[in-house]
Amino acid sequence: MLASYIALMKPLGLPLSTFLYVTCSIWYLKPAKWVTAIVTGLVVGIVSYVVFIELLQLSFPMGFLFEG
């Protein structure tokens, strides 16, 4: 899963690839808790965007959804 996260970072960007990685990882560990996995993935994706891109001004790929 980590290799997929790294491979998808450039085309999808940091927020979306982080959301997918966290959601899939949590769902894999506890398959019955898919709502928790989606909500946690969404929160972690948003927090990673705000912290790393907005606050720290680091250069991460944004992906096709956020490039404008």
Side-chain angles (χ1 to χ4, degrees):
M1 251 193 261
L2 187 57
S4 299
Y5 175 63
I6 293 168
L8 292 174
M9 181 73 72
K10 185 162 179 125
L12 296 181
L14 175 73
L16 187 55
S17 60
T18 301
F19 163 73
L20 290 173
Y21 174 71
V22 170
T23 301
C24 291
S25 296
I26 292 173
W27 183 79
Y28 179 75
L29 294 172
K30 296 207 181 249
K33 305 282 186 175
W34 61 271
V35 174
T36 303
I38 291 173
V39 170
T40 304
L42 188 61
V43 169
V44 171
I46 291 169
V47 168
S48 68
Y49 171 77
V50 170
V51 170
F52 293 115
I53 295 172
E54 294 295 323
L55 293 177
L56 296 176
Q57 303 276 319
L58 297 177
S59 177
F60 279 101
M62 290 303 296
F64 65 92
L65 290 177
F66 296 99
E67 289 179 347

